[in-house]
Amino acid sequence: KLNLISGTFEGKLSDDGKMIEGTWTQGPKPLPLTLARTTPDTAWAIPEPPKATAADANPNFEVATIKPSDPSHRGKGFGFRGTHFMTLNTNLNDLIAFAYGLHSKQIIGAPDWFSTELFDIDGVPDTPGRPDLKQMGVMVQKLLADRCALKFHHETRELPVYAIRVASGGPKMTKTTAAPNDPQGFGFRGLGDLIVRNMDMKDFATWMQSGVMDKPVVNQTGLTDRYDFTLKWTPDDSQFKQFRGAVPLTPPKTDDPNAPPSLYTAIQEQVGLKIEATKAPDDVIVIDHVEKPSAN
């Protein structure tokens, strides 16, 4: 059983031990699947996973291109392809929020084009290995200062936020067995179908505000451990706004009797947390100067 993709395989081993005939189930329609044992001639080499950049490294881009996004390309995201760090259909709100761990509503004084003009980045780090999320953020900070002449200052303001707290009954999440420096995971199998791996609540709040919620999200759980969990809910119209215009979003079927509950119900029932709207002092950055990114 593969919980990560909600798939199961059931089969029977042949008498000679060289084949398993069975059924793969992922969704409503099972499919026949036969697994055959490889031989030295048919086996393929398993590539080594990329090594992590040194924890004390302060990476920059050795080379990077920024260009307007192709309107025919769908999707939005940040990540690595081989040795290249890439973004797709990202605006300046996305880039600053990623770089500094903020929500777009914590960016004050930005010009209108911050939210409307989309860019793709393709860059190669100047240090060996693959940077972690925080190091990626530092790289994008340096890129924004260099290519957008970004200057700003910090302030603390009281903002409407969502607070994540522990629900009555306590958390229902599983403490991860991964090491602190192992990769984190925050990914969707579909809108409202979330997988979290090796993540503490502070980072979970940051990723929820960057990808899901329409207001900043603050961690008020008091929990310090890292967790693995899944969370499935039916999104409402306020969620995933960061992706509108770059990703085709299918409206949730609110009349489906088998649809998952709302986020606010699901997070209590499934992981023992709660999300509540409130006001709280929070960090903001005030834009002092910025230019549209240079292409080279």
Side-chain angles (χ1 to χ4, degrees):
K1 184 174 182 179
L2 297 176
N3 292 326
L4 187 65
I5 58 174
S6 298
T8 59
F9 175 73
E10 294 184 5
K12 183 178 180 181
L13 183 67
S14 62
D15 293 338
D16 60 7
K18 295 182 178 180
M19 187 175 298
I20 302 176
E21 293 185 351
T23 301
W24 171 258
T25 303
Q26 186 182 17
K29 188 176 180 181
L31 297 171
L33 178 63
T34 299
L35 303 178
R37 186 184 295 276
T38 62
T39 66
D41 293 331
T42 61
W44 62 90
I46 300 176
E48 289 189 14
K51 295 182 179 179
T53 297
D56 59 353
N58 186 22
N60 202 342
F61 284 107
E62 181 177 0
V63 61
T65 61
I66 303 176
K67 60 183 180 180
S69 301
D70 184 337
S72 66
H73 292 170
R74 311 300 289 174
K76 180 190 283 284
F78 298 77
F80 268 86
R81 182 179 297 170
T83 59
H84 288 240
F85 172 82
M86 308 184 75
T87 79
L88 175 67
N89 284 327
T90 47
N91 59 38
L92 262 289
N93 279 334
D94 298 324
L95 294 171
I96 292 177
F98 174 81
Y100 292 95
L102 302 173
H103 190 276
S104 61
K105 291 185 178 177
Q106 292 169 271
I107 303 170
I108 309 298
D112 292 341
W113 58 266
F114 258 46
S115 61
T116 59
E117 299 198 19
L118 302 177
F119 301 92
D120 297 345
I121 296 173
D122 184 347
V124 178
D126 64 355
T127 52
R130 179 166 295 182
D132 62 23
L133 289 172
K134 291 181 174 61
Q135 290 170 327
M136 289 184 219
V138 170
M139 291 167 57
V140 175
Q141 291 177 23
K142 296 175 182 178
L143 188 69
L144 292 170
D146 179 43
R147 303 288 280 277
C148 299
L150 176 65
K151 296 180 181 179
F152 62 87
H153 65 275
H154 287 270
E155 294 182 6
T156 299
R157 299 189 182 185
E158 185 173 67
L159 300 177
V161 301
Y162 293 107
I164 299 181
R165 298 165 176 152
V166 177
S168 59
K172 302 177 182 179
M173 302 168 290
T174 301
K175 292 182 182 179
T176 189
T177 58
N181 292 329
D182 286 347
Q184 294 179 317
F186 184 98
F188 288 93
R189 294 175 291 198
L191 293 185
D193 191 355
L194 173 65
I195 303 169
V196 175
R197 294 289 181 266
N198 191 27
M199 192 164 283
D200 62 25
M201 290 296 98
K202 183 178 182 296
D203 287 340
F204 174 61
T206 297
W207 281 91
M208 285 295 287
Q209 76 176 9
S210 67
V212 179
M213 310 303 286
D214 62 339
K215 298 184 185 72
V217 180
V218 296
N219 169 35
Q220 296 182 353
T221 64
L223 301 174
T224 58
D225 292 310
R226 293 175 175 266
Y227 299 93
D228 299 335
F229 59 92
T230 59
L231 181 61
K232 186 175 290 190
W233 78 93
T234 298
D236 63 33
D237 291 339
S238 72
Q239 294 160 12
F240 296 101
K241 283 188 174 181
Q242 293 89 328
F243 293 91
R244 301 185 193 279
V247 178
L249 300 182
T250 303
K253 296 180 180 180
T254 55
D255 58 347
D256 181 358
N258 298 316
S262 72
L263 172 62
Y264 308 98
T265 299
I267 199 168
Q268 291 195 53
E269 294 178 347
Q270 298 170 25
V271 298
L273 302 176
K274 57 183 178 180
I275 295 179
E276 297 177 330
T278 184
K279 286 189 175 183
D282 209 350
D283 181 43
V284 302
I285 63 173
V286 181
I287 305 296
D288 297 318
H289 179 81
V290 69
E291 301 171 7
K292 291 187 180 181
S294 57
N296 295 304

